Coordinates of all heavy atoms in Angstrom, one line a residue:
M281 N 0.8 -1.2 0.0 CA 0.0 0.0 0.0 C 0.9 1.3 0.0 O 0.6 2.2 -0.7 CB -0.9 0.0 1.2 CG -1.8 1.1 1.3 SD -3.3 0.9 0.4 CE -4.3 2.2 1.0
N282 N 1.9 1.2 0.7 CA 2.8 2.4 0.8 C 3.5 2.7 -0.5 O 3.7 3.8 -0.9 CB 3.9 2.2 1.9 CG 4.5 3.5 2.3 OD1 4.0 4.5 2.0 ND2 5.6 3.4 3.1
F283 N 3.8 1.6 -1.3 CA 4.4 1.7 -2.6 C 3.4 2.5 -3.6 O 3.8 3.3 -4.3 CB 4.8 0.4 -3.2 CG 5.3 0.4 -4.6 CD1 6.5 0.8 -4.9 CD2 4.4 0.0 -5.6 CE1 7.0 0.9 -6.2 CE2 4.9 0.0 -6.9 CZ 6.2 0.4 -7.2
I284 N 2.2 2.1 -3.5 CA 1.2 2.7 -4.4 C 1.0 4.2 -4.0 O 0.9 5.0 -4.9 CB -0.2 1.9 -4.3 CG1 0.0 0.5 -4.9 CG2 -1.3 2.7 -5.1 CD1 -1.1 -0.4 -4.7
Q285 N 0.9 4.5 -2.7 CA 0.8 5.9 -2.3 C 2.0 6.7 -2.8 O 1.8 7.9 -3.1 CB 0.6 5.9 -0.8 CG -0.7 5.4 -0.3 CD -0.8 5.4 1.2 OE1 0.2 5.5 1.9 NE2 -2.0 5.3 1.7
K286 N 3.2 6.2 -2.7 CA 4.3 7.0 -3.2 C 4.3 7.2 -4.7 O 4.7 8.2 -5.2 CB 5.6 6.2 -2.8 CG 6.0 6.3 -1.4 CD 7.2 5.6 -1.1 CE 7.6 5.5 0.4 NZ 8.8 4.8 0.7
K287 N 3.7 6.3 -5.5 CA 3.7 6.4 -6.9 C 2.6 7.4 -7.3 O 2.7 8.1 -8.3 CB 3.4 5.1 -7.6 CG 4.5 4.1 -7.5 CD 5.6 4.6 -8.4 CE 6.8 3.6 -8.5 NZ 7.9 4.1 -9.3
I288 N 1.4 7.4 -6.6 CA 0.3 8.3 -6.9 C 0.4 9.7 -6.3 O 0.0 10.7 -6.9 CB -1.0 7.6 -6.5 CG1 -1.2 6.3 -7.3 CG2 -2.2 8.5 -6.7 CD1 -2.4 5.5 -6.8
K289 N 1.1 9.8 -5.2 CA 1.2 11.1 -4.5 C 1.7 12.3 -5.4 O 1.1 13.4 -5.2 CB 2.0 11.0 -3.3 CG 2.1 12.2 -2.4 CD 1.7 11.8 -1.0 CE 1.7 13.0 -0.2 NZ 0.6 13.2 0.7
P290 N 2.7 12.1 -6.2 CA 3.1 13.3 -7.0 C 2.0 13.8 -8.0 O 2.1 15.0 -8.4 CB 4.3 12.8 -7.8 CG 4.7 11.5 -7.1 CD 3.5 11.0 -6.4
Y291 N 1.1 13.0 -8.3 CA 0.0 13.4 -9.3 C -1.2 14.0 -8.7 O -2.0 14.6 -9.3 CB -0.4 12.3 -10.2 CG 0.8 11.7 -10.9 CD1 1.3 10.4 -10.6 CD2 1.4 12.4 -12.0 CE1 2.4 9.9 -11.3 CE2 2.4 11.8 -12.7 CZ 2.9 10.6 -12.3 OH 4.0 10.1 -13.0
I292 N -1.4 13.9 -7.4 CA -2.6 14.3 -6.7 C -2.4 15.7 -6.2 O -1.4 16.1 -5.6 CB -3.0 13.4 -5.5 CG1 -3.3 12.0 -6.1 CG2 -4.1 13.9 -4.7 CD1 -3.5 10.9 -5.0
D293 N -3.4 16.6 -6.4 CA -3.4 17.9 -6.0 C -3.7 18.0 -4.5 O -4.7 17.4 -4.0 CB -4.4 18.8 -6.8 CG -4.1 20.2 -6.7 OD1 -3.2 20.6 -6.0 OD2 -4.9 21.0 -7.3
E294 N -3.0 18.8 -3.8 CA -3.2 19.0 -2.3 C -4.4 19.9 -2.0 O -5.0 19.8 -1.0 CB -1.9 19.5 -1.6 CG -0.7 18.6 -1.7 CD -1.0 17.2 -1.1 OE1 -1.6 17.1 -0.1 OE2 -0.4 16.2 -1.6
N295 N -4.7 20.8 -2.9 CA -5.8 21.7 -2.7 C -7.1 21.0 -3.0 O -7.2 20.1 -3.8 CB -5.7 22.9 -3.7 CG -4.5 23.7 -3.5 OD1 -4.0 23.7 -2.3 ND2 -3.9 24.3 -4.5
K296 N -8.2 21.4 -2.3 CA -9.5 20.7 -2.5 C -10.1 21.3 -3.8 O -10.1 22.5 -4.0 CB -10.4 21.0 -1.3 CG -10.0 20.3 -0.1 CD -11.1 20.2 0.9 CE -10.7 19.3 2.0 NZ -11.8 18.6 2.6
P297 N -10.7 20.4 -4.6 CA -11.4 20.9 -5.7 C -12.7 21.6 -5.4 O -13.2 21.6 -4.2 CB -11.7 19.6 -6.5 CG -11.6 18.5 -5.6 CD -10.7 19.0 -4.5
D298 N -13.3 22.3 -6.3 CA -14.5 23.1 -6.1 C -15.7 22.1 -6.1 O -16.2 21.7 -7.2 CB -14.7 24.1 -7.2 CG -15.8 25.1 -6.9 OD1 -16.4 24.9 -5.9 OD2 -16.0 26.0 -7.8
Y299 N -16.1 21.7 -4.9 CA -17.2 20.7 -4.8 C -18.6 21.2 -5.2 O -19.4 20.5 -5.7 CB -17.2 20.1 -3.4 CG -16.1 19.1 -3.1 CD1 -15.1 19.5 -2.2 CD2 -16.0 17.9 -3.8 CE1 -14.0 18.6 -2.0 CE2 -15.0 17.1 -3.6 CZ -14.0 17.4 -2.6 OH -12.9 16.6 -2.4
I300 N -18.8 22.5 -5.0 CA -20.1 23.1 -5.4 C -20.3 23.0 -6.9 O -21.3 22.6 -7.4 CB -20.2 24.5 -4.8 CG1 -20.3 24.5 -3.3 CG2 -21.5 25.2 -5.4 CD1 -20.2 25.8 -2.6
L301 N -19.2 23.4 -7.6 CA -19.3 23.3 -9.1 C -19.4 21.8 -9.5 O -20.2 21.5 -10.5 CB -18.0 23.9 -9.7 CG -17.9 23.9 -11.2 CD1 -19.0 24.7 -11.8 CD2 -16.5 24.4 -11.6
F302 N -18.8 20.9 -8.9 CA -18.9 19.5 -9.2 C -20.3 19.0 -9.0 O -20.9 18.3 -9.8 CB -17.9 18.7 -8.4 CG -18.1 17.2 -8.6 CD1 -17.7 16.6 -9.8 CD2 -18.6 16.4 -7.6 CE1 -17.8 15.2 -10.0 CE2 -18.8 15.0 -7.8 CZ -18.4 14.4 -9.0
L303 N -20.9 19.4 -7.8 CA -22.3 18.9 -7.5 C -23.3 19.5 -8.5 O -24.2 18.9 -8.9 CB -22.6 19.3 -6.1 CG -21.9 18.5 -5.0 CD1 -22.2 19.0 -3.6 CD2 -22.2 17.0 -5.1
L304 N -23.1 20.8 -8.9 CA -24.0 21.4 -9.8 C -23.9 20.8 -11.2 O -24.9 20.5 -11.8 CB -23.8 22.9 -9.9 CG -24.2 23.7 -8.7 CD1 -23.7 25.2 -8.9 CD2 -25.7 23.7 -8.5
A305 N -22.7 20.5 -11.6 CA -22.5 19.8 -12.9 C -23.1 18.4 -12.9 O -23.7 18.0 -13.9 CB -21.1 19.8 -13.3
S306 N -22.9 17.7 -11.8 CA -23.4 16.4 -11.7 C -25.0 16.4 -11.7 O -25.6 15.5 -12.3 CB -22.9 15.7 -10.4 OG -21.5 15.6 -10.4
F307 N -25.5 17.4 -11.0 CA -27.0 17.5 -10.9 C -27.5 17.8 -12.4 O -28.6 17.2 -12.7 CB -27.4 18.7 -10.0 CG -28.8 19.0 -10.0 CD1 -29.7 18.2 -9.4 CD2 -29.3 20.1 -10.7 CE1 -31.1 18.5 -9.4 CE2 -30.7 20.4 -10.7 CZ -31.5 19.6 -10.0
L308 N -26.9 18.6 -13.1 CA -27.3 18.9 -14.5 C -27.2 17.6 -15.4 O -28.1 17.4 -16.2 CB -26.6 20.0 -15.1 CG -26.9 21.4 -14.5 CD1 -25.9 22.4 -15.1 CD2 -28.3 21.8 -14.8
I309 N -26.2 16.8 -15.2 CA -26.1 15.6 -15.9 C -27.2 14.6 -15.6 O -27.8 14.0 -16.4 CB -24.7 15.0 -15.7 CG1 -23.6 15.8 -16.4 CG2 -24.6 13.5 -16.2 CD1 -22.2 15.4 -16.1
I310 N -27.5 14.5 -14.3 CA -28.6 13.6 -13.8 C -29.9 14.1 -14.4 O -30.7 13.3 -14.8 CB -28.6 13.5 -12.3 CG1 -27.3 12.8 -11.8 CG2 -29.8 12.8 -11.8 CD1 -27.0 12.8 -10.4
V311 N -30.2 15.4 -14.3 CA -31.4 15.9 -14.9 C -31.5 15.6 -16.4 O -32.6 15.3 -16.9 CB -31.6 17.4 -14.6 CG1 -32.7 18.1 -15.4 CG2 -31.8 17.7 -13.1
S312 N -30.4 15.7 -17.1 CA -30.4 15.4 -18.5 C -30.7 14.0 -18.8 O -31.4 13.6 -19.8 CB -29.1 15.8 -19.2 OG -28.1 15.0 -18.8
M313 N -30.3 13.1 -17.9 CA -30.6 11.7 -18.0 C -32.1 11.4 -17.9 O -32.7 10.6 -18.6 CB -29.8 10.8 -17.0 CG -28.4 10.7 -17.3 SD -27.5 9.5 -16.3 CE -27.1 10.6 -14.9
I314 N -32.7 12.1 -16.9 CA -34.1 11.9 -16.7 C -34.9 12.5 -17.9 O -35.9 11.9 -18.3 CB -34.5 12.6 -15.4 CG1 -33.9 11.9 -14.2 CG2 -36.0 12.7 -15.2 CD1 -34.0 12.6 -12.9
F315 N -34.5 13.6 -18.4 CA -35.2 14.2 -19.6 C -35.0 13.3 -20.8 O -35.9 13.2 -21.6 CB -34.6 15.6 -19.8 CG -35.2 16.7 -18.9 CD1 -34.6 17.9 -18.9 CD2 -36.2 16.4 -18.0 CE1 -35.1 18.9 -18.0 CE2 -36.7 17.4 -17.2 CZ -36.1 18.6 -17.2
S316 N -33.9 12.7 -21.0 CA -33.7 11.9 -22.1 C -34.6 10.7 -22.1 O -35.0 10.1 -23.1 CB -32.2 11.4 -22.3 OG -31.9 10.5 -21.3
Y317 N -34.9 10.2 -20.9 CA -35.8 9.1 -20.8 C -37.2 9.5 -21.2 O -37.9 8.7 -21.8 CB -35.8 8.6 -19.3 CG -36.9 7.5 -19.1 CD1 -36.7 6.3 -19.7 CD2 -38.0 7.7 -18.3 CE1 -37.7 5.3 -19.5 CE2 -38.9 6.8 -18.1 CZ -38.8 5.5 -18.7 OH -39.7 4.6 -18.5
S318 N -37.6 10.7 -20.8 CA -39.0 11.1 -21.1 C -39.2 11.6 -22.5 O -40.3 11.7 -23.0 CB -39.5 12.2 -20.1 OG -38.7 13.3 -20.3
L319 N -38.1 12.1 -23.2 CA -38.3 12.7 -24.5 C -38.1 11.7 -25.7 O -38.3 12.1 -26.8 CB -37.3 13.9 -24.7 CG -37.6 15.1 -23.8 CD1 -36.5 16.1 -23.9 CD2 -38.9 15.7 -24.1
S320 N -37.7 10.5 -25.5 CA -37.4 9.6 -26.6 C -38.5 8.7 -26.9 O -38.3 7.7 -27.6 CB -36.1 8.8 -26.2 OG -36.4 8.1 -25.1
I321 N -39.7 9.0 -26.6 CA -40.8 8.0 -26.8 C -41.1 7.9 -28.3 O -41.4 6.8 -28.8 CB -42.1 8.4 -26.0 CG1 -43.2 7.4 -26.1 CG2 -42.6 9.8 -26.5 CD1 -42.8 6.1 -25.4
F322 N -41.0 8.9 -29.1 CA -41.3 8.8 -30.5 C -40.3 7.9 -31.2 O -40.6 7.1 -32.0 CB -41.3 10.2 -31.2 CG -41.4 10.2 -32.7 CD1 -42.6 9.9 -33.3 CD2 -40.2 10.3 -33.5 CE1 -42.7 9.8 -34.7 CE2 -40.3 10.3 -34.8 CZ -41.6 10.0 -35.4
T323 N -39.0 8.1 -30.9 CA -37.9 7.3 -31.5 C -38.1 5.8 -31.1 O -37.8 4.9 -31.9 CB -36.6 7.9 -31.1 OG1 -36.5 9.2 -31.3 CG2 -35.5 7.2 -31.9
V324 N -38.4 5.6 -29.8 CA -38.6 4.2 -29.3 C -39.7 3.6 -30.1 O -39.6 2.4 -30.5 CB -38.9 4.2 -27.8 CG1 -39.3 2.9 -27.4 CG2 -37.6 4.6 -27.1
D325 N -40.8 4.2 -30.3 CA -42.0 3.6 -31.0 C -41.6 3.5 -32.5 O -42.0 2.5 -33.1 CB -43.2 4.5 -30.9 CG -43.8 4.3 -29.5 OD1 -43.5 3.3 -28.8 OD2 -44.6 5.2 -29.1
Y326 N -41.0 4.5 -33.1 CA -40.7 4.5 -34.5 C -39.7 3.4 -34.9 O -39.9 2.7 -35.9 CB -40.3 5.8 -35.0 CG -40.1 6.0 -36.5 CD1 -41.3 6.1 -37.3 CD2 -38.9 6.0 -37.1 CE1 -41.2 6.2 -38.6 CE2 -38.8 6.1 -38.5 CZ -39.9 6.2 -39.2 OH -39.8 6.3 -40.6
Y327 N -38.6 3.3 -34.2 CA -37.6 2.3 -34.5 C -37.7 1.0 -33.7 O -36.9 0.1 -33.9 CB -36.2 2.9 -34.3 CG -35.9 4.0 -35.2 CD1 -35.7 5.3 -34.8 CD2 -35.7 3.7 -36.6 CE1 -35.4 6.3 -35.7 CE2 -35.3 4.7 -37.5 CZ -35.2 6.0 -37.0 OH -34.9 7.0 -37.9
D328 N -38.7 0.9 -32.9 CA -39.0 -0.3 -32.1 C -37.9 -0.7 -31.2 O -37.4 -1.9 -31.2 CB -39.4 -1.5 -33.1 CG -40.1 -2.6 -32.3 OD1 -40.8 -2.3 -31.4 OD2 -40.0 -3.8 -32.8
Y329 N -37.3 0.3 -30.5 CA -36.3 0.0 -29.5 C -36.9 -0.4 -28.2 O -38.1 -0.2 -28.0 CB -35.4 1.2 -29.3 CG -34.5 1.6 -30.4 CD1 -34.3 2.9 -30.8 CD2 -33.7 0.6 -31.0 CE1 -33.4 3.2 -31.8 CE2 -32.9 0.9 -32.1 CZ -32.7 2.2 -32.4 OH -31.8 2.6 -33.4
G330 N -36.1 -0.9 -27.3 CA -36.6 -1.2 -25.9 C -37.0 0.1 -25.2 O -36.6 1.2 -25.5
Q331 N -37.8 0.0 -24.1 CA -38.2 1.1 -23.3 C -37.1 1.9 -22.7 O -37.1 3.1 -22.7 CB -39.2 0.6 -22.2 CG -39.8 1.7 -21.4 CD -40.7 1.2 -20.3 OE1 -40.8 0.0 -20.2 NE2 -41.3 2.1 -19.6
F332 N -36.1 1.2 -22.3 CA -35.0 1.9 -21.6 C -33.7 2.0 -22.4 O -32.6 2.3 -21.9 CB -34.6 1.1 -20.3 CG -35.7 1.1 -19.3 CD1 -36.5 0.0 -19.0 CD2 -36.0 2.3 -18.6 CE1 -37.5 0.0 -18.1 CE2 -37.0 2.3 -17.6 CZ -37.8 1.1 -17.4
H333 N -33.8 1.9 -23.7 CA -32.7 1.9 -24.6 C -31.9 3.2 -24.5 O -30.7 3.2 -24.2 CB -33.1 1.7 -26.1 CG -32.0 1.8 -27.1 ND1 -31.1 0.8 -27.3 CD2 -31.7 2.8 -27.9 CE1 -30.3 1.2 -28.2 NE2 -30.6 2.4 -28.6
F334 N -32.5 4.3 -24.7 CA -31.8 5.6 -24.6 C -31.4 6.0 -23.2 O -30.4 6.7 -23.0 CB -32.6 6.7 -25.3 CG -32.7 6.5 -26.8 CD1 -33.9 6.1 -27.3 CD2 -31.7 6.8 -27.6 CE1 -34.0 5.9 -28.7 CE2 -31.7 6.6 -29.0 CZ -32.9 6.1 -29.5
F335 N -32.2 5.6 -22.2 CA -31.9 5.9 -20.9 C -30.6 5.2 -20.4 O -29.8 5.8 -19.7 CB -33.1 5.6 -19.9 CG -32.8 5.8 -18.5 CD1 -32.7 7.1 -18.0 CD2 -32.5 4.8 -17.6 CE1 -32.5 7.4 -16.7 CE2 -32.3 5.0 -16.3 CZ -32.3 6.3 -15.8
I336 N -30.5 4.0 -20.8 CA -29.3 3.2 -20.5 C -28.0 3.8 -21.1 O -27.0 3.9 -20.5 CB -29.4 1.7 -20.8 CG1 -30.5 1.1 -19.9 CG2 -28.1 1.0 -20.7 CD1 -30.9 -0.3 -20.3
R337 N -28.2 4.2 -22.4 CA -27.0 4.9 -23.1 C -26.7 6.2 -22.4 O -25.5 6.5 -22.2 CB -27.4 5.1 -24.5 CG -27.5 3.8 -25.3 CD -28.0 4.1 -26.7 NE -27.1 4.9 -27.5 CZ -27.2 5.3 -28.7 NH1 -28.3 4.8 -29.4 NH2 -26.4 6.0 -29.4
Q338 N -27.7 7.0 -22.1 CA -27.4 8.3 -21.4 C -26.9 8.1 -20.0 O -26.0 8.8 -19.5 CB -28.7 9.1 -21.3 CG -28.5 10.5 -20.9 CD -27.9 11.4 -21.9 OE1 -27.8 11.0 -23.1 NE2 -27.5 12.6 -21.5
L339 N -27.3 7.0 -19.3 CA -26.8 6.7 -18.0 C -25.3 6.3 -18.0 O -24.5 6.8 -17.2 CB -27.6 5.6 -17.4 CG -27.2 5.1 -16.0 CD1 -27.6 6.2 -14.9 CD2 -28.0 3.8 -15.6
F340 N -25.0 5.5 -19.0 CA -23.6 5.1 -19.2 C -22.7 6.4 -19.4 O -21.6 6.6 -18.8 CB -23.4 4.1 -20.3 CG -22.0 3.8 -20.6 CD1 -21.2 3.0 -19.8 CD2 -21.4 4.3 -21.8 CE1 -19.9 2.7 -20.1 CE2 -20.1 4.0 -22.1 CZ -19.4 3.2 -21.2
V341 N -23.1 7.2 -20.4 CA -22.3 8.4 -20.7 C -22.3 9.4 -19.6 O -21.2 10.0 -19.3 CB -22.8 9.0 -22.0 CG1 -22.2 10.4 -22.3 CG2 -22.7 8.1 -23.2
G342 N -23.4 9.6 -18.9 CA -23.4 10.5 -17.7 C -22.5 10.0 -16.6 O -21.8 10.8 -16.0
T343 N -22.6 8.8 -16.3 CA -21.7 8.2 -15.2 C -20.2 8.4 -15.6 O -19.4 8.7 -14.8 CB -22.0 6.7 -15.0 OG1 -23.4 6.6 -14.7 CG2 -21.2 6.2 -13.8
L344 N -19.9 8.1 -16.9 CA -18.5 8.2 -17.3 C -18.1 9.7 -17.2 O -17.0 10.0 -16.8 CB -18.4 7.7 -18.8 CG -17.0 7.7 -19.4 CD1 -16.1 6.7 -18.6 CD2 -17.1 7.3 -20.8
A345 N -19.0 10.6 -17.6 CA -18.6 12.1 -17.5 C -18.4 12.5 -16.1 O -17.4 13.2 -15.8 CB -19.7 12.9 -18.1
I346 N -19.2 12.0 -15.2 CA -19.0 12.4 -13.7 C -17.7 11.8 -13.2 O -16.9 12.5 -12.5 CB -20.2 11.9 -12.9 CG1 -21.4 12.8 -13.2 CG2 -19.9 12.0 -11.4 CD1 -22.7 12.3 -12.6
L347 N -17.4 10.6 -13.6 CA -16.1 10.0 -13.2 C -14.9 10.7 -13.7 O -13.9 10.9 -13.1 CB -16.1 8.5 -13.5 CG -17.0 7.6 -12.7 CD1 -16.9 6.2 -13.3 CD2 -16.6 7.6 -11.3
I348 N -15.0 11.1 -15.0 CA -13.9 11.9 -15.6 C -13.7 13.2 -14.9 O -12.6 13.6 -14.6 CB -14.1 12.1 -17.1 CG1 -13.9 10.7 -17.8 CG2 -13.2 13.1 -17.7 CD1 -14.3 10.7 -19.3
M349 N -14.8 13.9 -14.6 CA -14.7 15.2 -13.9 C -14.1 15.0 -12.5 O -13.3 15.8 -12.1 CB -16.1 15.8 -13.7 CG -16.6 16.5 -14.9 SD -18.1 17.5 -14.5 CE -19.2 16.4 -13.8
W350 N -14.5 13.9 -11.8 CA -14.0 13.7 -10.5 C -12.5 13.4 -10.5 O -11.7 13.9 -9.7 CB -14.7 12.5 -9.9 CG -14.3 12.2 -8.5 CD1 -13.4 11.2 -8.1 CD2 -14.7 12.8 -7.3 NE1 -13.2 11.2 -6.7 CE2 -14.0 12.2 -6.2 CE3 -15.6 13.8 -7.0 CZ2 -14.2 12.6 -4.9 CZ3 -15.7 14.2 -5.7 CH2 -15.0 13.6 -4.7
T351 N -12.0 12.6 -11.5 CA -10.6 12.3 -11.7 C -9.8 13.5 -12.0 O -8.7 13.7 -11.4 CB -10.4 11.2 -12.7 OG1 -11.2 10.0 -12.4 CG2 -9.0 10.8 -12.8
M352 N -10.3 14.3 -13.0 CA -9.6 15.5 -13.4 C -9.5 16.5 -12.3 O -8.5 17.3 -12.3 CB -10.2 16.1 -14.6 CG -10.2 15.2 -15.9 SD -8.6 15.0 -16.6 CE -8.4 16.5 -17.4
A353 N -10.4 16.5 -11.4 CA -10.4 17.5 -10.3 C -9.3 17.2 -9.3 O -8.9 18.2 -8.6 CB -11.8 17.5 -9.6
H354 N -8.9 16.0 -9.2 CA -7.9 15.6 -8.2 C -6.5 15.6 -8.8 O -5.5 15.3 -8.1 CB -8.2 14.3 -7.6 CG -9.4 14.4 -6.7 ND1 -9.4 15.0 -5.5 CD2 -10.7 14.0 -6.8 CE1 -10.5 15.0 -4.9 NE2 -11.4 14.4 -5.7
I355 N -6.3 15.8 -10.1 CA -5.0 15.8 -10.7 C -4.4 17.2 -10.7 O -5.1 18.1 -10.9 CB -5.0 15.2 -12.1 CG1 -5.5 13.8 -12.1 CG2 -3.7 15.3 -12.8 CD1 -5.7 13.2 -13.5
K356 N -3.1 17.3 -10.4 CA -2.4 18.6 -10.4 C -2.5 19.2 -11.8 O -2.3 18.5 -12.8 CB -1.0 18.4 -10.0 CG -0.8 18.1 -8.6 CD 0.7 18.1 -8.2 CE 0.9 17.8 -6.8 NZ 2.3 17.7 -6.4
T357 N -2.7 20.5 -11.9 CA -2.8 21.1 -13.2 C -1.5 21.2 -13.9 O -1.4 21.3 -15.1 CB -3.4 22.5 -13.0 OG1 -2.7 23.3 -12.1 CG2 -4.9 22.5 -12.6
D358 N -0.4 21.2 -13.2 CA 0.9 21.2 -13.8 C 1.2 20.0 -14.6 O 1.9 20.1 -15.6 CB 2.0 21.4 -12.7 CG 1.9 22.7 -11.9 OD1 1.3 23.6 -12.4 OD2 2.4 22.7 -10.8
I359 N 0.6 18.9 -14.2 CA 0.8 17.7 -15.0 C 0.0 17.7 -16.2 O 0.4 17.2 -17.3 CB 0.5 16.5 -14.0 CG1 1.5 16.4 -12.9 CG2 0.5 15.2 -14.8 CD1 1.2 15.4 -11.9
I360 N -1.3 18.2 -16.1 CA -2.1 18.2 -17.3 C -1.6 19.2 -18.3 O -1.6 18.9 -19.5 CB -3.6 18.6 -16.8 CG1 -4.1 17.5 -15.9 CG2 -4.5 18.7 -18.1 CD1 -5.4 17.9 -15.3
F361 N -1.3 20.4 -17.9 CA -0.8 21.5 -18.8 C 0.7 21.7 -18.6 O 1.1 22.7 -18.0 CB -1.6 22.8 -18.5 CG -3.0 22.6 -18.6 CD1 -3.8 22.7 -17.5 CD2 -3.6 22.5 -19.8 CE1 -5.2 22.6 -17.5 CE2 -5.0 22.3 -19.9 CZ -5.8 22.4 -18.8
Q362 N 1.5 20.8 -19.1 CA 2.9 20.9 -19.0 C 3.4 22.0 -20.0 O 3.0 22.1 -21.1 CB 3.6 19.6 -19.4 CG 3.3 18.5 -18.4 CD 4.0 17.2 -18.8 OE1 4.5 17.1 -19.8 NE2 3.9 16.3 -17.9
K363 N 4.3 22.9 -19.5 CA 4.8 24.0 -20.3 C 6.1 23.6 -21.0 O 6.9 22.8 -20.6 CB 5.0 25.2 -19.4 CG 3.7 25.7 -18.9 CD 4.0 27.0 -18.1 CE 2.6 27.5 -17.5 NZ 2.8 28.7 -16.8

């Protein structure tokens, strides 16, 4: 465990990320997932997809976006933007 902490420590930012911004962005992503479930009824009927087809796709992409935001918030900016 100590070996892994030594390898990861140089990449982790010591400052706390902006959690309010993260929560607001996550809330908007979750609301968009709910809206995508309710707005795709025409396409589901027309192309004969399953009831949760677009919701599952949006859920996957939304979860991936939140995880990417969370990961990028904890990485030092010097490593991302090397001069």
Side-chain angles (χ1 to χ4, degrees):
M281 179 86 165
N282 199 9
F283 174 75
I284 295 173
Q285 288 177 346
K286 286 181 184 178
K287 289 290 185 183
I288 295 176
K289 186 124 178 135
Y291 300 109
I292 297 176
D293 195 2
E294 298 298 325
N295 300 329
K296 289 196 170 213
D298 190 0
Y299 286 112
I300 295 174
L301 180 63
F302 174 74
L303 291 175
L304 288 174
S306 299
F307 175 73
L308 289 174
I309 291 172
I310 291 168
V311 167
S312 73
M313 285 189 272
I314 294 169
F315 284 167
S316 74
Y317 174 67
S318 65
L319 293 176
S320 61
I321 189 67
F322 173 75
T323 312
V324 167
D325 284 342
Y326 187 74
Y327 291 113
D328 198 29
Y329 289 139
Q331 181 180 4
F332 296 107
H333 175 77
F334 291 107
F335 179 72
I336 291 171
R337 289 173 64 176
Q338 188 74 12
L339 180 68
F340 174 73
V341 172
T343 305
L344 185 64
I346 290 172
L347 288 175
I348 289 171
M349 280 192 305
W350 182 262
T351 304
M352 296 290 283
H354 289 287
I355 297 176
K356 288 183 180 179
T357 55
D358 297 338
I359 293 172
I360 296 172
F361 303 109
Q362 294 178 352
K363 294 182 181 181

